Amino acid sequence: MADEPQYLRPNVIIEPLVDRFYAWLHTVAPVQASMNLAYLQAPLLESYLQSPPVHVAATANPELRGGYFVGIPEERSEEVRELLNGIKRTGADMFAFAEAITKAEDMVRQGATGFDLTPLYQKLPAELAGLVEIAYDTNNQASLHFLEPLVYKSKAYIEDRQSVQLSIEPGVERPFILSTPRLPGPDVLDLHIPFRHPGLQELFGARLRPRRLSELREALELDDAQAAQLATLLTGEYGQAPDRHIEEGGRIRYFGHACLALQTPEATVLTDPFISADTNATDRYTYRDLPDHIDLVLITHGHQDHIVLETLMQLRGRVGTVVVPRSSRGNLCDPSLGLYLEHLGLPVLEVDEFDEIPFPGGRVVSTPFLGEHADLDIRSKSTYWIELGGKSVFVGADSSGVDPALYRYISSHLGTADLAFLGMECDGAPLTWLYQALLTRPVTKRMSDSRKLSGSDAAQAGEIVRELGAKEVYIYAMGEESWLGHVMATSYNDDSYQMQQIEKFMSWCKEHDVRAGHLLNQHEWRW
């Protein structure tokens, strides 16, 4: 067969993996990755190996959806054992680093009594030497601060743990990302390459510009068998939608969850990209509906459903800048989103509250994000105010209306919002569901259950809308789309507290003459 230029099929997906677990912030950023490897992922695999049938049965139980159970058939348990042995061997430095963090945190708790901290540096584990600072806050409470750029250069950051799997979107729910590793399979192309590998940008660029198989093979460093498998992911047909650009006015498209594409003829702004590749589905926008160039990608926060690597990696080379909120610099629970994405090869701009980012024909202003992070001291979160095409749009993600006065300040500074998008997952998962591995001091179940990953309820959402003076408001980021299950694992019914609160909020909007909607799958606004 002639080596003719071909396109990458529009329904190809990529799953970025770290030690064969689906990659997200806490498994890539080295401080948090070490803690998750030592205190979550390795123990999870050990638990599975003790009783594979229990884990497999639990993954099939709808009431346990989103739980930490490994959904790999028992007949493949030896592969899991080999995976665990490999993790222990190649990740030895990370296990030692995690143990050092736990010891150092305990040492600081015991030894920092309000006096000079200098003697404590000599007691730090060797693994942390030169990588941390010990400091008091103004309440005389001491803590460790990690020098995160240096940790990326230490033995705790092992890029060789990274790999990717390429395949055709299956159209069925994939295994839950936080618990089930991805083993090799006949229908996936396994590549042991880092996420920043330039060949991946070449590959996904072939959605817009055709490439020869020989060129992609060289760019990705493939052997004969891998090249043959890659050939099945290519097609001679151009797959992009003809209406992905606009010639006048403005447009917003809802791609699902918290992903909005805001467009004018001059520019595109994309929020929290999490996009379906299932081109057989007729109820959603997919990658084929994205414009060829995206000026700004706005990331609201670091949770796995808002900074989605499998989408961001497919957009590399098409994005001008990825805008992320600045972290608190060195806090154990608040890794830098900027460093994370830079090490994956993406162009990044970090912003603080009320920083302004201009783009052709408009501007973005980063605005504060309250709550939703189980009361942890996490600064790397931002809402956004976007002005384009004569409209002002507030993108609120999962921010809480716990203090309505904040939105009064936002409005006094920026004006009235024409449209607002709010998340109302108001009964979220408890603290330990996402942060257990980072807690160096145990918390009770009662404490954990009281500190949830929750956005606004009806009353709080109403106060946000009132203070912003929004004329239209839409509920999004609820995790209801069918293609989000492998990341969200949410399950609602009409009696769910979240759905009841949304209905209550919809009634409030009707009473106050605010146009409102509850988004699902896709929607479009034009002006």
Side-chain angles (χ1 to χ4, degrees), residues 269 296-301 323-326 349-359 363-370 379-387 393-396 399 406-407 409-411 413-414:
V269 176
L296 298 175
V297 167
L298 309 180
I299 302 296
T300 59
H301 59 297
V323 178
V324 299
R326 192 182 306 277
L349 173 66
E350 292 183 309
V351 292
D352 293 307
E353 282 99 344
F354 291 103
D355 280 352
E356 181 177 327
I357 310 103
F359 62 88
R363 67 169 181 164
V364 170
V365 180
S366 58
T367 45
F369 183 136
L370 283 185
R379 299 292 92 211
S380 54
K381 53 184 183 177
S382 179
T383 58
Y384 294 98
W385 184 277
I386 306 169
E387 296 176 359
V393 181
F394 178 71
V395 176
S399 183
L406 165 66
Y407 304 93
Y409 279 109
I410 291 174
S411 183
H413 184 67
L414 296 170

Side-chain angles (χ1 to χ4, degrees), residues 246-279:
I246 61 174
E247 297 181 357
E248 60 181 5
R251 179 173 73 183
I252 301 175
R253 280 182 164 178
Y254 173 67
F255 276 70
H257 200 51
C259 183
L260 303 168
L262 302 94
Q263 292 178 265
T264 65
E266 295 79 28
T268 297
V269 176
L270 193 65
T271 71
D272 288 343
F274 190 175
I275 297 172
S276 172
D278 189 355
T279 52

Side-chain angles (χ1 to χ4, degrees), residues 217-498:
R217 174 177 179 165
E218 181 178 0
L220 291 165
E221 305 171 78
L222 305 183
D223 60 27
D224 289 346
Q226 291 172 326
Q229 198 156 21
L230 176 61
T232 67
L233 305 181
L234 303 178
T235 177
E237 298 181 7
Y238 185 62
Q240 302 307 292
D243 65 344
R244 65 193 186 279
H245 302 115
I246 61 174
E247 297 181 357
E248 60 181 5
R251 179 173 73 183
I252 301 175
R253 280 182 164 178
Y254 173 67
F255 276 70
H257 200 51
C259 183
L260 303 168
L262 302 94
Q263 292 178 265
T264 65
E266 295 79 28
T268 297
V269 176
L270 193 65
T271 71
D272 288 343
F274 190 175
I275 297 172
S276 172
D278 189 355
T279 52
N280 291 321
T282 58
D283 62 349
R284 69 197 69 166
Y285 296 118
T286 66
Y287 287 100
R288 64 189 300 273
D289 298 294
L290 285 175
D292 295 354
H293 178 74
I294 300 160
D295 296 76
L296 298 175
V297 167
L298 309 180
I299 302 296
T300 59
H301 59 297
H303 289 159
Q304 71 278 9
D305 55 317
H306 290 263
I307 183 167
V308 183
L309 287 194
E310 74 169 86
T311 295
L312 288 172
M313 290 175 71
Q314 298 190 56
L315 301 182
R316 213 170 75 198
R318 295 173 62 174
V319 174
T321 304
V322 182
V323 178
V324 299
R326 192 182 306 277
S327 71
S328 55
R329 291 289 189 245
N331 187 333
L332 177 58
C333 64
D334 192 18
S336 166
L337 303 184
L339 285 172
Y340 172 55
L341 295 184
E342 285 173 1
H343 281 79
L344 305 182
L346 288 159
V348 179
L349 173 66
E350 292 183 309
V351 292
D352 293 307
E353 282 99 344
F354 291 103
D355 280 352
E356 181 177 327
I357 310 103
F359 62 88
R363 67 169 181 164
V364 170
V365 180
S366 58
T367 45
F369 183 136
L370 283 185
E372 207 264 336
H373 287 66
D375 297 325
L376 291 170
D377 183 18
I378 292 175
R379 299 292 92 211
S380 54
K381 53 184 183 177
S382 179
T383 58
Y384 294 98
W385 184 277
I386 306 169
E387 296 176 359
L388 84 168
K391 297 280 190 182
S392 295
V393 181
F394 178 71
V395 176
D398 301 329
S399 183
S400 169
V402 64
D403 186 356
L406 165 66
Y407 304 93
R408 192 178 313 151
Y409 279 109
I410 291 174
S411 183
S412 67
H413 184 67
L414 296 170
T416 298
D418 294 300
L419 292 90
F421 294 88
L422 304 177
M424 286 186 63
E425 170 46 278
C426 48
D427 188 22
L431 163 70
T432 52
W433 182 72
L434 204 58
Y435 293 100
Q436 176 68 56
L438 304 184
L439 302 178
T440 58
R441 174 183 284 182
V443 299
T444 66
K445 184 178 186 301
R446 187 178 176 186
M447 286 180 182
S448 176
D449 289 347
S450 76
R451 295 167 56 184
K452 294 191 173 183
L453 305 173
S454 296
S456 295
D457 61 18
Q460 293 169 344
E463 289 301 313
I464 292 174
V465 172
R466 187 197 307 274
E467 296 296 348
L468 293 178
K471 302 176 180 66
E472 293 183 44
V473 60
Y474 296 93
I475 304 307
Y476 76 154
M478 295 299 296
E480 297 174 89
E481 282 81 16
S482 60
W483 68 89
L484 310 179
H486 65 295
V487 173
M488 297 295 297
T490 48
S491 298
Y492 303 123
N493 56 52
D494 291 342
D495 295 325
S496 298
Y497 177 71
Q498 297 93 329

